[in-house]
Amino acid sequence: MQEIKIENLIEEITSFYDPKLHHFVCLNANDLGENRLKLQWIFTFYNQEDNYQIFWTICSFDEVLPTITKIIPSAIMSEAEIVDLFGVQIKDIQGGLYLDETSPISPLRCSI
Amino acid sequence: MIKSIIESFSNLFAKSETINYPYEQIAKFKNYRGLIEYSADECIFCYKCEKVCPPDAIVFKPTKEKNRLYEYNPNLCIYCGECVRNCPKEDLALWQSEKKPKII
Amino acid sequence: MKKTITIPLGSQHISLLEPVRFNFSCENEKITDVDYNVGFVHRGIEKACTEKFEYKQVGYVVARVCGLCAITHTMAYTLGIEHILNIKTNKKIDYLRILMLELDRIHSHLLCLAHTAENSGFEGMFMKIMGDRELVMDIQEAISGNRVQFDFVCIGGVNRDISTECEKLAFTNLALLDKKVDDLIGKFTSNWSTALKYKNIGALSYDDAFNFNALGPLARAAGAAIDVRAESSILPYKEVGYKMILGQNGDIYDRNLVRLKEIKNSILMCQNILSGLTEGEILVKFKGKPNGESFTRLEAPRGEIFYYLNANGTNMLQRVRIKTPTFSQIPGMVEIFKGSDYADAPAILASFDPCMSCTAK
């Protein structure tokens, strides 16, 4: 596990990620309460047993987060999901993957 | 080509894959998970089954008497059998039968 | 003047099993851009797992995420919570779990193949494969007591032991199925409508498989050795005769063949397990409430499934995160669609074996 700062996210992941060696599992968000959101970018290594590399950070709900879809195209799904379910803002990512106008707003947030 | 011709001809005389249902019964396997059955005489009212039931199909309703009344909704039940496994008097107070729920 | 026209596929379409909507922007016959909508069946299961159900019940809830890989979801959750609770299971439990997982893989792959055959206009083959699939479903029904929702795995072990009758039934059915799969391999390599016309259609290159994080049969057909069964020691796959199966071109033809060969491998694994099964306890007793977090990966029939669990020492879990195979493969699928003919789109979509109830959970 490695803690990173949200400003350095793109540099950290660019320097770490190699498509042939690392597998991006998903981006996980967890609401810790009191306007704190824990984000985890979970990677594994191909051909290695049970080896995880996890980048994590704690941010607030007001921040606009950077997107990593330029480095990892398949991250767009995870990012769109947390935009919908947690109501965070990610640059260039729109919600509406699961929810529409009549749905509850950011259902997985515990602080609301 | 020849193989497929032989196959198509043999299919003409092969046994049907389907069952002629209302006239022929579908074979049931042993220990099929069916309705949960209950005996009030043996029950010790620990309410463990009520606690573990995932869809709340088993509910003990409060009554004027000392013991609560067992109520079971077969349409909510997912037939997982968790209640039976948690019952301290398994097979006596609570058991899983092979019956189907009634169609209302 | 606008050069492209937009043709939708879904949310209801004759070739779809589940609701998904693709909007294809087409230039003449060729697809140039794809827009997707996958969230038609969102049920909020992650929310329900943390607010409505206790941790002992969540295993039965997550089984309802998907009908086809019900056992995989419960298994991934159970392995995660066992990691938090520090429960060590014995060999017999592990083997029984692998047995059910592999039976699940066989019938899921057979469904996908049947569906591919149906999309190529071969309705008779569809019926035939679905008929063969009953052999596996019968084994599962005999073992678990139910046809679709098995509820076989529980925290600390499994709910039922295998009787000798079940074992006998499993051996005869698997031997029968083995012959039928050999026959199917012949049909999926030499028949025009199920095999030869699909060469080089919907191909995913080796590099793109890595770039788009492809999983499961989609990646393995492209030659990329991506399989959680080889990368995880959580279940003893190597002891039961697991073998990685790879294709070359990543087209529909290769995907079908990879699936068929995986069925052969799964049958072999099941036979190995059944012949080597020992006597032993099927349930390990445990105490305490979960506290901590766990990451679990498992190979579902369609690819990698991932569970993140966070528990805080109470009966309720704090967070359950479910990542399913189709969910992260959608960008890869979109990439494959670009550049192929519109007429091939239903066949390509069927060969992905997409599971929308998994994706939207």
mmCIF file of all heavy atoms in Angstrom, chain A residues 60-75:
data_model
loop_
_atom_site.group_PDB
_atom_site.id
_atom_site.type_symbol
_atom_site.label_atom_id
_atom_site.label_comp_id
_atom_site.label_asym_id
_atom_site.label_seq_id
_atom_site.Cartn_x
_atom_site.Cartn_y
_atom_site.Cartn_z
ATOM 1 N N SER A 60 -11.637 15.265 0.084
ATOM 2 C CA SER A 60 -12.954 15.735 0.500
ATOM 3 C C SER A 60 -13.894 15.700 -0.702
ATOM 4 O O SER A 60 -13.465 15.530 -1.843
ATOM 5 C CB SER A 60 -12.865 17.144 1.062
ATOM 6 O OG SER A 60 -12.677 18.043 0.001
ATOM 7 N N PHE A 61 -15.190 15.860 -0.429
ATOM 8 C CA PHE A 61 -16.170 15.759 -1.512
ATOM 9 C C PHE A 61 -16.203 16.994 -2.402
ATOM 10 O O PHE A 61 -16.788 16.983 -3.462
ATOM 11 C CB PHE A 61 -17.568 15.508 -0.928
ATOM 12 C CG PHE A 61 -17.766 14.094 -0.483
ATOM 13 C CD1 PHE A 61 -17.654 13.745 0.850
ATOM 14 C CD2 PHE A 61 -18.064 13.103 -1.404
ATOM 15 C CE1 PHE A 61 -17.831 12.441 1.266
ATOM 16 C CE2 PHE A 61 -18.237 11.797 -1.003
ATOM 17 C CZ PHE A 61 -18.126 11.466 0.328
ATOM 18 N N ASP A 62 -15.573 18.094 -1.937
ATOM 19 C CA ASP A 62 -15.650 19.331 -2.717
ATOM 20 C C ASP A 62 -14.601 19.382 -3.823
ATOM 21 O O ASP A 62 -14.730 20.151 -4.772
ATOM 22 C CB ASP A 62 -15.462 20.551 -1.793
ATOM 23 C CG ASP A 62 -16.177 20.344 -0.476
ATOM 24 O OD1 ASP A 62 -17.304 19.851 -0.546
ATOM 25 O OD2 ASP A 62 -15.602 20.655 0.588
ATOM 26 N N GLU A 63 -13.539 18.576 -3.686
ATOM 27 C CA GLU A 63 -12.445 18.656 -4.650
ATOM 28 C C GLU A 63 -12.872 18.106 -6.014
ATOM 29 O O GLU A 63 -13.688 17.201 -6.095
ATOM 30 C CB GLU A 63 -11.260 17.823 -4.160
ATOM 31 C CG GLU A 63 -10.517 18.437 -3.002
ATOM 32 C CD GLU A 63 -9.438 17.497 -2.505
ATOM 33 O OE1 GLU A 63 -8.494 17.236 -3.264
ATOM 34 O OE2 GLU A 63 -9.558 17.006 -1.378
ATOM 35 N N VAL A 64 -12.263 18.665 -7.059
ATOM 36 C CA VAL A 64 -12.427 18.079 -8.392
ATOM 37 C C VAL A 64 -11.233 17.163 -8.618
ATOM 38 O O VAL A 64 -10.087 17.602 -8.618
ATOM 39 C CB VAL A 64 -12.489 19.174 -9.478
ATOM 40 C CG1 VAL A 64 -12.617 18.524 -10.854
ATOM 41 C CG2 VAL A 64 -13.670 20.088 -9.223
ATOM 42 N N LEU A 65 -11.517 15.870 -8.775
ATOM 43 C CA LEU A 65 -10.434 14.892 -8.856
ATOM 44 C C LEU A 65 -9.941 14.761 -10.295
ATOM 45 O O LEU A 65 -10.711 14.927 -11.236
ATOM 46 C CB LEU A 65 -10.924 13.536 -8.365
ATOM 47 C CG LEU A 65 -11.598 13.511 -6.998
ATOM 48 C CD1 LEU A 65 -12.191 12.139 -6.743
ATOM 49 C CD2 LEU A 65 -10.599 13.842 -5.913
ATOM 50 N N PRO A 66 -8.661 14.435 -10.460
ATOM 51 C CA PRO A 66 -8.161 14.195 -11.819
ATOM 52 C C PRO A 66 -8.583 12.814 -12.314
ATOM 53 O O PRO A 66 -8.861 11.921 -11.522
ATOM 54 C CB PRO A 66 -6.646 14.282 -11.651
ATOM 55 C CG PRO A 66 -6.407 13.915 -10.239
ATOM 56 C CD PRO A 66 -7.605 14.333 -9.454
ATOM 57 N N THR A 67 -8.620 12.644 -13.623
ATOM 58 C CA THR A 67 -8.988 11.346 -14.188
ATOM 59 C C THR A 67 -7.742 10.623 -14.700
ATOM 60 O O THR A 67 -6.784 11.272 -15.139
ATOM 61 C CB THR A 67 -10.012 11.517 -15.312
ATOM 62 O OG1 THR A 67 -10.173 10.280 -15.965
ATOM 63 C CG2 THR A 67 -9.608 12.562 -16.329
ATOM 64 N N ILE A 68 -7.754 9.294 -14.623
ATOM 65 C CA ILE A 68 -6.602 8.530 -15.121
ATOM 66 C C ILE A 68 -6.958 7.800 -16.411
ATOM 67 O O ILE A 68 -6.238 6.897 -16.841
ATOM 68 C CB ILE A 68 -6.077 7.536 -14.065
ATOM 69 C CG1 ILE A 68 -7.181 6.587 -13.597
ATOM 70 C CG2 ILE A 68 -5.451 8.239 -12.908
ATOM 71 C CD1 ILE A 68 -6.646 5.350 -12.898
ATOM 72 N N THR A 69 -8.076 8.179 -17.042
ATOM 73 C CA THR A 69 -8.483 7.428 -18.239
ATOM 74 C C THR A 69 -7.510 7.596 -19.404
ATOM 75 O O THR A 69 -7.492 6.780 -20.312
ATOM 76 C CB THR A 69 -9.879 7.862 -18.705
ATOM 77 O OG1 THR A 69 -9.948 9.264 -18.674
ATOM 78 C CG2 THR A 69 -10.955 7.291 -17.851
ATOM 79 N N LYS A 70 -6.696 8.674 -19.371
ATOM 80 C CA LYS A 70 -5.709 8.839 -20.461
ATOM 81 C C LYS A 70 -4.635 7.765 -20.359
ATOM 82 O O LYS A 70 -4.073 7.333 -21.355
ATOM 83 C CB LYS A 70 -5.069 10.227 -20.353
ATOM 84 C CG LYS A 70 -6.070 11.332 -20.607
ATOM 85 C CD LYS A 70 -5.557 12.323 -21.614
ATOM 86 C CE LYS A 70 -6.672 13.234 -22.070
ATOM 87 N NZ LYS A 70 -7.193 14.078 -20.959
ATOM 88 N N ILE A 71 -4.338 7.323 -19.137
ATOM 89 C CA ILE A 71 -3.311 6.297 -18.948
ATOM 90 C C ILE A 71 -3.949 4.909 -19.043
ATOM 91 O O ILE A 71 -3.421 4.009 -19.661
ATOM 92 C CB ILE A 71 -2.622 6.463 -17.575
ATOM 93 C CG1 ILE A 71 -2.294 7.926 -17.328
ATOM 94 C CG2 ILE A 71 -1.382 5.608 -17.492
ATOM 95 C CD1 ILE A 71 -2.091 8.252 -15.878
ATOM 96 N N ILE A 72 -5.096 4.756 -18.370
ATOM 97 C CA ILE A 72 -5.764 3.453 -18.336
ATOM 98 C C ILE A 72 -7.195 3.646 -18.861
ATOM 99 O O ILE A 72 -8.057 4.134 -18.132
ATOM 100 C CB ILE A 72 -5.800 2.895 -16.902
ATOM 101 C CG1 ILE A 72 -4.400 2.879 -16.306
ATOM 102 C CG2 ILE A 72 -6.400 1.505 -16.887
ATOM 103 C CD1 ILE A 72 -4.400 2.785 -14.813
ATOM 104 N N PRO A 73 -7.481 3.283 -20.107
ATOM 105 C CA PRO A 73 -8.821 3.549 -20.658
ATOM 106 C C PRO A 73 -9.949 2.846 -19.906
ATOM 107 O O PRO A 73 -11.049 3.381 -19.812
ATOM 108 C CB PRO A 73 -8.727 3.016 -22.093
ATOM 109 C CG PRO A 73 -7.294 2.874 -22.379
ATOM 110 C CD PRO A 73 -6.592 2.674 -21.095
ATOM 111 N N SER A 74 -9.675 1.679 -19.358
ATOM 112 C CA SER A 74 -10.772 0.940 -18.728
ATOM 113 C C SER A 74 -11.176 1.522 -17.377
ATOM 114 O O SER A 74 -12.164 1.093 -16.796
ATOM 115 C CB SER A 74 -10.408 -0.532 -18.572
ATOM 116 O OG SER A 74 -9.304 -0.661 -17.733
ATOM 117 N N ALA A 75 -10.416 2.527 -16.890
ATOM 118 C CA ALA A 75 -10.782 3.143 -15.602
ATOM 119 C C ALA A 75 -12.027 3.991 -15.713
ATOM 120 O O ALA A 75 -12.590 4.394 -14.699
ATOM 121 C CB ALA A 75 -9.621 3.985 -15.085
#
